[in-house]
Amino acid sequence: MEKTCHQHRDCLRKRAEEETVTEVPEPPPMLLPPAELPRTQIIERTHHRYEDVHRLLEKH
């Protein structure tokens, strides 16, 4: 086996170089659902203020 590998070392080296150059396609990104924040009183109040501000901006 050693003799055969020695005789074909150029072919084996070329093949090894080809395999290292070959680009592996990147896996598609995992799409995760958006993180849900707990609906606390502060978050609700902030959300309502945000809506109020945008409603006022639309009027002007």
Side-chain angles (χ1 to χ4, degrees):
M1 185 169 130
E2 190 175 318
K3 184 178 174 184
T4 303
C5 288
H6 183 71
Q7 288 174 341
H8 295 283
R9 70 180 177 268
D10 292 332
C11 299
L12 295 170
R13 187 173 294 129
K14 182 179 178 185
R15 177 71 178 167
E17 288 173 0
E18 288 173 357
E19 286 183 5
T20 57
V21 172
T22 305
E23 291 185 27
V24 177
E26 219 174 284
M30 290 183 69
L31 300 176
L32 300 175
E36 288 288 324
L37 295 175
R39 301 301 277 192
T40 63
Q41 190 175 13
I42 294 172
I43 291 173
E44 289 293 324
R45 187 172 56 227
T46 305
H47 184 71
H48 289 297
R49 284 183 184 162
Y50 176 86
E51 290 175 342
D52 291 341
V53 167
H54 282 274
R55 240 185 324 250
L56 291 171
L57 285 172
E58 288 175 3
K59 287 183 182 180
H60 289 97

